[in-house]
Amino acid sequence: MTGSDADGSTGDILDWFSDLRSREAERRAKEDDVFYGESPGVVARLVESGVRLRSLLVAQRRKHLLDGIDTGRADVVVLSDPELHDLVGFDMHRGMVGLFDRPEPVGLDEITRSRIVCVVEGVGDDANIGAIVRTAAALEAGGLVLDASSADPFTRRAVRVSMGCVGLVPIVRASEWPPEMPGRCIIALTPTGESEIGDVEVFGPVAVAVGSEGPGLSSAMLEASDVRARIRMGAGVDSLSVSHAAAIALHHVRRELSQTR
């Protein structure tokens, strides 16, 4: 076991990574405004996006990958594979686990300056949230607006599914719902929508609203929307996963807006 201790002893650093599968680890991370990123690719993307890296565990066999990651003043501890497994409690990290500061909160007014935002209501599964974050980043949404009941996008599972894109998309937890977004067309995805999403004309700032895969969007969110759109399904299929639905709608919106620039 080797390491560099910029901010504390190796033992103190390792305490943060003990049994990361436990609820206690997630609870403590949230309370201390930090989160975990697993795998070299995720760690590298988070660092490149400007998220502050506090500490990094690296398997000896992956040590050469540090040459491509700007670890700055972060504590770096190199462990054998058995040591890393015994500490964190699993092997899905591909030999690298980082502890990061959560990004500073942004206000709704900052997010809604973007041409495209994604509004998420009632999505309680953190894997779905992670997938939506990745989708939003890939399709150039300028922000993600979550209601109070949606899952935390900075859980270990959400960050893994997002492939580290939580550092690329500003995320705000709205204090009021539906969120106030004056001057923005809100497109609500719903199976009962009057229009197919591919037929919706898009001209100015847009918010694509998606809801849970069961109940969907609330009546309040539907009433606050300007357009209620559906995705046409093949026979025998009544819905898509929420991240896939968001991807279809965001792709359409981005393509439409690119033609009006």
Side-chain angles (χ1 to χ4, degrees):
M1 178 186 300
T2 61
S4 62
D5 304 336
D7 296 323
S9 70
T10 299
D12 291 340
I13 295 164
L14 296 183
D15 285 345
W16 277 101
F17 294 91
S18 177
D19 192 11
L20 294 188
R21 297 174 302 174
S22 69
R23 293 184 180 179
E24 172 61 23
E26 290 282 15
R27 183 196 62 77
R28 186 171 73 160
K30 187 173 184 178
E31 287 182 354
D32 286 85
D33 288 328
V34 295
F35 70 96
Y36 298 96
E38 307 164 20
S39 84
V42 168
V43 169
R45 176 169 286 157
L46 288 166
V47 169
E48 289 168 5
S49 64
V51 182
R52 179 178 177 263
L53 175 65
R54 281 195 184 187
S55 306
L56 185 65
L57 300 188
V58 185
Q60 181 67 47
R61 63 186 170 85
R62 295 290 194 180
K63 187 177 178 181
H64 65 283
L65 297 177
L66 291 174
D67 293 339
I69 300 174
D70 182 6
T71 57
R73 292 181 52 81
D75 298 297
V76 179
V77 179
V78 181
L79 304 172
S80 68
D81 279 357
E83 288 173 329
L84 188 51
H85 175 273
D86 290 346
L87 179 64
V88 302
F90 58 92
D91 289 318
M92 293 178 63
H93 44 67
R94 298 183 181 179
M96 193 173 290
V97 186
L99 178 70
F100 295 84
D101 283 340
R102 290 194 181 215
E104 287 293 324
V106 298
L108 185 60
D109 57 336
E110 295 177 63
I111 281 186
T112 52
R113 293 172 190 166
S114 304
R115 297 192 82 191
I116 306 172
V117 299
C118 186
V119 175
V120 181
E121 180 185 60
V123 177
D125 182 82
D126 51 3
N128 280 337
I129 288 291
I132 293 171
V133 171
R134 186 178 182 183
T135 295
L139 295 172
E140 300 180 302
L144 206 63
V145 183
L146 306 180
D147 75 331
S149 67
S150 288
D152 181 4
F154 293 98
T155 66
R156 188 172 57 81
R157 186 176 180 221
V159 173
R160 182 176 69 243
V161 174
S162 82
M163 287 301 295
C165 289
V166 289
L168 298 175
V169 183
I171 301 170
V172 64
R173 184 83 67 173
S175 58
E176 297 183 2
W177 203 263
E180 291 288 337
M181 294 183 287
R184 181 176 297 272
C185 176
I186 301 175
I187 301 174
L189 286 186
T190 174
T192 59
E194 299 90 353
S195 307
E196 288 190 17
I197 187 64
D199 296 331
V200 175
E201 296 184 353
V202 181
F203 300 101
V206 176
V208 172
V210 296
S212 65
E213 295 176 19
L217 291 168
S218 66
S219 57
M221 191 68 239
L222 290 172
E223 290 171 8
S225 65
D226 302 288
V227 178
R228 285 161 290 281
R230 67 185 185 277
I231 297 171
R232 183 163 59 90
M233 302 288 167
V237 181
D238 60 0
S239 66
L240 294 171
S241 71
V242 63
S243 61
H244 290 157
I248 290 171
L250 289 171
H251 178 269
H252 170 71
V253 166
R254 183 179 67 164
R255 183 179 59 187
E256 289 286 300
L257 288 178
S258 69
Q259 297 172 359
T260 62
R261 288 177 178 171

